Amino acid sequence: MEEGGSHRAAVLPLPDELVVEILSRLPAKSLCLCKCVSRAWRAFISDPDHRGRFAQTLSGLFFSRPSGHRPPWPRGFVGLPTSPPPGVDTALSFLPPTCGDMDLLDSCNGLLLLRCQDTRERPSPPPFYVVCNPATGEWVALPQPRDTQGLYGSPDTCSAALGFDPAVSANFHVFQLVQECYFYNDLFFVVAVEIYSSETGRWVFKENDDLWVHWDIHFFGQMTFFSGFLHFCNDFNAAVISVDTQVQGWRISHVPHNVGISFSMRQNASYGRSSTISHSQGHLLYVYDNGWQDHDLSIYVLEDQDSEEWTWILKQSIDKPDLFGPRGAQGGWDYCIAAFHPNANLVFFYDWKQKTLMVYDMEHKDVHVICTLGEVVKIELDLRCNVHRLFLPYVPLYTRALTSPSVN
């Protein structure tokens, strides 16, 4: 009898509060699997009252459309796998008219970074940064940095990124790269970074003279925030430049790939070589693509960021003909890396020719088309600097965690 009684007690349903507490401690990938356990658990996970306590995973990608498209400002969103996440205002309609013309610069753990300018006045006031949360409708306008934002001036401050990790702190950081042009080669080089902290409400200016002489850091590509550092690529010598939120110094780590180029190669935009920095499943990733010359995309992973020496190792090579078919009429392929999935072994590509978004499973080595997006802004190879990323992965944040002394 005792055995039977124990068995019956073991299968009694758990209290709702305990189920929610258990689910709230799971990572995003495990939480998705739990939706298949029962209808009750699926209801718990989908309940808006509980959503803020659960880990979220990739819900979609923001991307830029050419000027003239509707909605009024050129921005699109594609939900993964189908529609936008529940309760998220992807149109950012909660922002006031004073935000005017908006340029979406970055996305980090549920928050978005925008460059805004109210063009209703003449002359127009200088642009300003806004950080917002599309899932809660919160937003904050930041004070002006020391170097006012400007495109292709000297200094140039068009490249900025967002740093936010809610698992570590409710505070966020904004990184603005300061680049100067040297007219003998018409190239921009990173000479400093300005970092805004929502904890202090102030910008801090940090030059890079403790790393190299400034003309050695040429930024051209994506930036990503991971493990307390902003990371971006230096195209001249296959290096990754990293600066922490405390502005204590700069770091450089070299990728073991023979990708160094000369000025003459850099000034010839037809070579098609590029590098990408991103992160996935708790690891920092570097992607090297030798354009039309190679069939392979080489993906490197940072072995141990906590060690004194940062070591990159080859994670995987992806065969481009398997993704995009044989070379095109011009001798190559026309695509860009859209994003890496933060919780799965997946990488998203956009095919410019077919105007399709596709996903490649790096574990099973198969690819399938997600949807046709139509026209997406295409930034041609530019000798000066790369303004922002074309696709921004979005993971919703349902907790009201946007804090700053300068809240508008």
Side-chain angles (χ1 to χ4, degrees), residues 38-262:
S38 68
R39 292 182 179 178
W41 280 33
R42 175 181 284 272
F44 277 125
I45 296 170
S46 304
D47 191 329
D49 293 335
H50 303 146
R51 193 180 293 143
R53 299 185 60 186
F54 298 151
Q56 302 294 324
T57 189
L58 185 67
S59 293
L61 301 172
F62 283 96
F63 62 95
S64 300
R65 291 194 182 278
S67 300
H69 279 69
R70 295 293 182 265
W73 62 291
R75 179 195 65 255
F77 183 85
V78 55
L80 302 173
T82 51
S83 58
V88 175
D89 183 358
T90 58
L92 308 186
S93 59
F94 57 87
L95 292 174
T98 51
C99 287
D101 293 340
M102 294 179 281
D103 190 12
L104 186 54
L105 302 180
D106 200 8
S107 171
C108 186
N109 290 319
L111 301 185
L112 303 181
L113 173 64
L114 301 98
R115 178 185 291 115
C116 302
Q117 186 171 30
D118 189 353
T119 55
R120 297 174 301 175
E121 301 180 23
R122 290 291 184 271
S124 298
F128 57 96
Y129 290 118
V130 165
V131 175
C132 69
N133 184 347
T136 62
E138 298 170 285
W139 67 278
V140 55
L142 307 190
Q144 286 288 353
R146 191 188 88 166
D147 288 298
T148 302
Q149 301 172 64
L151 301 181
Y152 306 137
S154 191
D156 178 272
T157 54
C158 64
S159 299
L162 179 63
F164 175 61
D165 187 351
V168 176
S169 170
N171 298 308
F172 65 85
H173 295 81
V174 173
F175 301 79
Q176 176 178 270
L177 297 187
V178 180
Q179 304 177 79
E180 291 187 359
C181 180
Y182 291 85
F183 297 101
Y184 64 89
N185 52 39
D186 197 29
L187 294 177
F188 276 81
F189 297 88
V190 179
V191 297
V193 63
E194 291 190 77
I195 304 179
Y196 174 82
S197 167
S198 65
E199 183 176 16
T200 64
R202 297 194 305 269
W203 291 87
V204 175
F205 185 87
K206 178 66 176 178
E207 292 183 308
N208 72 350
D209 50 5
D210 59 340
L211 179 67
W212 287 340
V213 289
H214 55 257
W215 52 79
D216 282 331
I217 303 180
H218 178 61
F219 164 70
F220 191 90
Q222 298 179 350
M223 295 183 281
T224 193
F225 180 79
F226 178 72
S227 193
F229 285 79
L230 176 72
H231 307 271
F232 61 92
C233 302
N234 182 29
D235 266 8
F236 279 147
N237 56 5
V240 175
I241 311 299
S242 306
V243 58
D244 67 346
T245 58
Q246 304 304 314
V247 206
Q248 294 177 347
W250 300 66
R251 290 198 64 160
I252 177 173
S253 54
H254 292 277
V255 182
H257 202 110
N258 185 22
V259 297
I261 59 172
S262 64

Side-chain angles (χ1 to χ4, degrees), residues 324-336:
F324 310 107
R327 292 177 184 268
Q330 302 299 319
W333 300 271
D334 201 9
Y335 67 94
C336 73

Side-chain angles (χ1 to χ4, degrees), residues 233 238 240 255-259 272-278 284-291 293-302 312-321 323-324 333 335 337 340 347 349 360 362:
C233 302
V240 175
V255 182
H257 202 110
N258 185 22
V259 297
R273 194 187 63 76
S274 65
S275 54
T276 301
I277 191 79
S278 188
L284 191 65
L285 302 177
Y286 175 97
V287 184
Y288 170 68
D289 179 9
N290 200 20
Q293 298 182 34
D294 290 345
H295 277 225
D296 294 336
L297 285 170
S298 301
I299 302 177
Y300 294 84
V301 59
L302 187 62
W312 294 89
I313 59 174
L314 182 64
K315 171 183 171 69
Q316 187 172 349
S317 293
I318 300 177
D319 193 43
K320 285 183 279 189
L323 289 174
F324 310 107
W333 300 271
Y335 67 94
I337 297 175
F340 281 84
V347 56
F349 294 90
Y360 177 75
M362 291 186 284

